[in-house]
Amino acid sequence: MAQTLVNTRLRAAGTSVRTGPLAYWNPYLTGMLLGLVLLATYLVTGRGLGATGAFGAVAAWLAGAISPEHAATNLVHAKYWNDGAPLESWTLFLLVGAFVGALVSGVAGRRIAFTVERGPRVTDGQRLALAFVGGFVAAYGAKIAKGCTSGQALTGGSIFNVGSLVFMLAVFASAYALAYLVRKEWL
Amino acid sequence: MFPLSSFHEFSTAANLAMAVVLGFGFGFCLERAGFGSARKLTAVFYLYDMAVVKVMFTAIVTAMTGVFLLSAAGVLDIAELYLEPTNFAAQAIGGLVFGAGFIVGGYCPGTCVASMATGRKDGYAFALGMLAGVLAYAELTPGIDAWIKDTAQGAMTLPSLTGIGAGWWTLAFIAFLAFAGWGMSKLEARFAGLKPSAA
C-alpha cells in the first residue's frame, strides 16, 4: 500500500517535470567540475583552455581562401596560418568538442530550444543585431587582451597570472558599469 | 611527469583528438551551469543570479588547488605551464572592451558555443559578430599586436610579484570564495525581484 503510494507520487513527479527543462546543476559543483577539466587540460597540454583562438583560425582560413599569400604574411593571420592548415587548430577542435558536450548536456536537460534569448522589451531582430555587435566588440577586446574569459580569466587566473587578474577585474567593471544602460535588452 | 606535452611528442591527430575530449567536458560543464543562455549569463550584472561568478571562481580555485598540490608533490612542473605575458595597459583596455561586448552581446567566446549547441539564434549572431571582429582586427589594426608585444611587462604572477608563496595565495583565494559565496547569497535575496518569472 505504502509502496504503491510512493510509486504513484514518483510517476506524477516524473510527468510534471517532463514538460519543461530540468534545473541547472549547482553552480559550485559545476564550477568544481569545470576546474577539473581545466586542470586536466593543464596536465595534458601545459596550456589550459581557450576559445578566441578558434575564431582566429577560422578568420585566417577565410583570408587564405581569398589569398594564401596575404594570410601567410598578415601579422595576425600568420599566427594561425599553420603552413596552410589553419583549421588544424587545437582551440578549434576544443570548441568542436565543446559543441558536442553542450549538445549532450542540453538534450539530457531538455534545454534545446530554437529561440532568441532576450528580455520582453526588445524584439528578436533588435536582440540579434545587438548580439552581432556585442560579438564584434568582444572579439576586439579579446584580441587586445590576448585572451577571453576562458583563456585569460580561467586559465591565467588559476596560475595567478597578474595580467589575467587585471583582465578579469576590467571585464566585470566594464559590464557592471554598462548594465544599467542596456537593461531593456535583458530585464 | 606532467604536463604530458613536455615529456611526450604527440602527433597532430592525437593532439586534436585530446582537444575534442577535453572540449566535451568544457562544453558539458558550461551548458550544465546554464551558460548556454544569455539571460542566465547577464543575470550576474543585475545581481539576482550570481551563477557566473560562482562557477568561474570555483573553477579557478579548484584548478589552482590542483596545480599547487600536484606541483608540491613533485608530479607537475609548473615552470612548463604556459604563462601569457602581462601587459597592464593591453589587459585593462582589452578587458574593458570585452566587458562591453559581453553585456551587449550576452555571451563570451566559449559560452556562445554552448548556446549554439542548444539552438539559441542569438548565439549564432554573436559568433558571426566575433568572426567579423577577429577579421577586422587582423585586416585593419594588425599593428596593435606589435604594440602589445613591445610594451609588455612580461611573465608575472602574484607569487613572483609579492614574494608570498603560491600555497598562501591558494588559501587566500579559498577563503575569499567562502566569503564571496556568503555575500552573493545576500545579493541574490536582495535583488530577487529582478528575476524574470519565465527564465
Side-chain angles (χ1 to χ4, degrees):
Chain A
M1 177 67 194
Q3 191 55 45
T4 321
L5 191 65
V6 169
N7 282 344
T8 318
R9 276 198 186 147
L10 277 177
R11 227 172 288 132
T15 40
S16 66
V17 184
R18 196 160 295 149
T19 52
L22 299 180
Y24 296 122
W25 275 1
N26 176 289
Y28 295 107
L29 176 80
T30 321
M32 203 176 277
L33 263 180
L34 181 58
L36 292 176
V37 173
L38 174 56
L39 181 63
T41 312
Y42 260 135
L43 293 182
V44 173
T45 69
R47 287 191 75 108
L49 298 166
T52 314
F55 290 87
V58 175
W61 174 70
L62 284 174
I66 297 164
S67 163
E69 296 79 31
H70 173 68
T73 51
N74 175 283
L75 282 173
V76 179
H77 289 320
K79 291 180 197 163
Y80 302 96
W81 183 237
N82 191 22
D83 291 326
L87 296 185
E88 286 176 22
S89 144
W90 199 88
T91 317
L92 184 58
F93 276 71
L94 183 81
L95 291 197
V96 169
F99 189 96
V100 179
L103 180 63
V104 168
S105 168
V107 169
R110 298 200 279 269
R111 288 187 287 265
I112 308 291
F114 296 96
T115 55
V116 175
E117 291 266 339
R118 60 170 176 82
R121 294 189 279 176
V122 288
T123 64
D124 279 357
Q126 285 169 331
R127 167 68 191 126
L128 288 174
L130 287 169
F132 182 88
V133 171
F136 188 98
V137 173
Y140 236 90
K143 291 306 285 182
I144 296 170
K146 299 251 148 209
C148 55
T149 345
S150 319
Q152 281 287 13
L154 285 182
T155 298
S158 64
I159 53 169
F160 306 108
N161 188 334
V162 174
S164 303
L165 299 168
V166 169
F167 172 78
M168 199 175 354
L169 291 177
V171 169
F172 279 94
S174 168
Y176 272 108
L178 291 171
Y180 186 75
L181 287 177
V182 296
R183 65 192 181 283
K184 269 193 173 175
E185 190 182 354
W186 304 115
L187 296 178
Chain B
M1 200 163 125
F2 291 111
L4 290 178
S5 54
S6 300
F7 303 95
H8 258 284
E9 191 69 44
F10 289 115
S11 67
T12 304
N15 247 322
L16 297 180
M18 289 188 295
V20 173
V21 172
L22 291 162
F24 184 95
F26 183 34
F28 186 88
C29 289
L30 290 179
E31 207 289 325
R32 283 280 115 172
F35 293 0
S37 156
R39 284 186 98 183
K40 174 91 175 168
L41 286 164
T42 52
V44 70
F45 302 117
Y46 301 98
L47 305 173
Y48 65 83
D49 182 345
M50 301 300 289
V52 169
V53 176
K54 291 178 192 169
V55 172
M56 272 183 69
F57 213 106
T58 310
I60 289 172
V61 167
T62 303
M64 189 179 268
T65 308
V67 168
F68 173 74
L69 292 178
L70 291 174
S71 73
V75 184
L76 171 68
D77 183 2
I78 48 169
E80 289 289 323
L81 299 184
Y82 176 75
L83 194 62
E84 185 74 41
T86 288
N87 181 324
F88 286 115
Q91 265 122 24
I93 296 168
L96 292 173
V97 174
F98 186 90
F102 189 1
I103 184 71
V104 171
Y107 297 103
C108 58
T111 52
C112 89
V113 173
S115 80
M116 293 194 293
T118 48
R120 304 306 195 270
K121 294 172 196 166
D122 47 327
Y124 285 89
F126 184 91
L128 278 178
M130 271 207 69
L131 188 57
V134 169
L135 268 171
Y137 180 89
E139 301 299 337
L140 307 177
T141 57
I144 295 180
D145 264 17
W147 169 76
I148 294 167
K149 211 176 165 196
D150 291 343
T151 57
Q153 282 82 31
M156 196 185 280
T157 63
L158 285 180
S160 77
L161 192 69
T162 60
I164 297 166
W168 294 111
W169 279 112
T170 305
L171 282 177
F173 271 75
I174 293 171
F176 184 72
L177 173 61
F179 174 73
W182 170 80
M184 286 188 287
S185 67
K186 295 269 166 208
L187 279 176
E188 287 173 339
R190 183 155 178 206
F191 290 92
L194 291 176
K195 190 172 189 159
S197 46

